[in-house]
Amino acid sequence: MGANEVLESAEPKRETEVFIARGSGGWGKGLYLRCTPQRYKVASLTGGGIHPVAKKIAALLNCPVVNAFEEKVELEEMVCVVLDCGGTARMGVYPMKNILTINVKPASPSGPLAKHITENVFVSGVTVNEVNMSNGSHDIDHEESEKKTTNLQAEKTFSSHSSVESGQKEKKLLKLLTFPAFLLSYGMGFLYQAGKEAVNSFLTHVLPLMLGVSVLIGSFSFFNLEKVLSNIVYYSMGNLPGLLIMAVLFSIPIFSNYLGAGATLGQVLIVLLGYEIAQGNIDFIWLFPALFATNVQVGCDFLPTALSMSNCEEKTVRAGLKAVAYSRLITSVVCVLIAYGGAKLAGF
């Protein structure tokens, strides 16, 4: 029996490894997950509690899973983070911090943080069917991107120290002469990049929204249900009681985490209201208060990420999440009333 124990202890223990494949309509080549002494928690940042994908990953890795909407998880302790971001904020922040990010929505890199969303740290469209055990033959290095960054910095430092210090006066004179050209080149490059990002944002965010709303309105028109759409928009956003009820419903903490993802709902509702205003079915005065009523939930899904990035204590995170979420119940109604009063005073 003692010999068997010695033999068993001599055999290297095989660590549990999980492979996350890309889901239907998703993006990425897949991620390999393995717990380490430093990284041993699965963070779930989805509305409605811990997501089934996060639960399955934690069960396969035999590690704890934490609801990041209720308690703080240190970035250094995360094996991965599971989120449901349809926009650009949460989806890009965690890859920027070299955290393996699993998006349950079929989203692709976009927005100002798109350059950080790479196949090495991000995969989307994931369901429980894409979470499976791996054969264990893949080597995982959670700090791979950090090491690459360190190596690049070391190379830059080495090259700067190895440069020759002779001819300082000639270099200063050359810089002075070439400064106007450099300034012009920098300005043109800045304008080019700004235009490129503007077009990219339009193609990835504005245009799909326009097409989606167009299909929605066209469907009502095709089935002769334009009157139904007009009544829905009127009774929800074309009068003060409807806007107040909508603001309260959207600001309920249980719903705000769902509705805030991607800020899509508010955009669609405002476009529908604008369409009805253009048709002459609703007065223009309701547009301004409707902006506050339909967007009261925006940002609630990003609160845990923002508080974690601020290095807040766990008690601060818990108190901050509840304070901001429940304060929306009060401020939502106040904002709608102020906006309505302002529109009245402006003579709309």
Side-chain angles (χ1 to χ4, degrees), residues 308-329:
S308 298
M309 295 299 173
S310 302
N311 296 324
C312 298
E313 296 181 358
E314 185 173 349
K315 293 182 178 179
T316 305
V317 174
R318 291 184 178 181
L321 291 175
K322 293 180 180 179
V324 174
Y326 284 101
S327 66
R328 296 291 181 94
L329 286 170

Side-chain angles (χ1 to χ4, degrees), residues 219-230:
S219 300
F220 277 93
S221 299
F222 180 79
F223 293 104
N224 294 323
L225 298 175
E226 288 183 324
K227 191 64 176 178
V228 176
L229 177 63
S230 179

Side-chain angles (χ1 to χ4, degrees), residues 118-238:
T118 64
E119 293 182 337
N120 295 327
V121 293
F122 181 83
V123 66
S124 64
V126 178
T127 65
V128 290
N129 297 326
E130 280 74 50
V131 180
N132 297 289
M133 296 296 295
S134 172
N135 55 16
S137 62
H138 189 273
D139 293 331
I140 299 178
D141 188 0
H142 289 286
E143 312 298 333
E144 180 180 357
S145 54
E146 297 177 3
K147 289 182 179 179
K148 289 182 180 179
T149 304
T150 305
N151 293 335
L152 289 175
Q153 293 176 348
E155 291 177 2
K156 291 180 180 179
T157 304
F158 175 77
S159 61
S160 62
H161 284 294
S162 62
S163 59
V164 182
E165 298 181 356
S166 62
Q168 294 297 327
K169 293 183 179 180
E170 289 79 0
K171 289 183 178 179
K172 289 181 180 179
L173 180 61
L174 182 61
K175 287 182 179 179
L176 183 62
L177 295 174
T178 57
F179 181 74
F182 167 77
L183 190 62
L184 179 62
S185 175
Y186 177 81
M188 293 302 297
F190 178 80
L191 293 176
Y192 171 77
Q193 184 64 25
K196 183 179 179 181
E197 292 183 1
V199 172
N200 183 59
S201 298
F202 178 80
L203 293 176
T204 56
H205 296 289
V206 180
L207 189 59
L209 176 66
M210 294 172 61
L211 292 176
V213 176
S214 298
V215 171
L216 178 62
I217 296 175
S219 300
F220 277 93
S221 299
F222 180 79
F223 293 104
N224 294 323
L225 298 175
E226 288 183 324
K227 191 64 176 178
V228 176
L229 177 63
S230 179
N231 289 334
I232 293 174
V233 175
Y234 174 77
Y235 287 110
S236 60
M237 292 182 287

Side-chain angles (χ1 to χ4, degrees), residues 69 92 108 112 239 242 247 259 280 310 322 325-326:
F69 274 112
S108 58
N239 55 85
L259 303 177
S310 302
K322 293 180 180 179
Y326 284 101

Side-chain angles (χ1 to χ4, degrees), residues 40-64:
Y40 56 93
K41 292 182 180 179
V42 176
S44 179
L45 199 61
T46 56
I50 299 175
H51 197 274
V53 170
K55 290 181 180 179
K56 185 174 181 180
I57 293 174
L60 294 179
L61 290 176
N62 193 24
C63 67

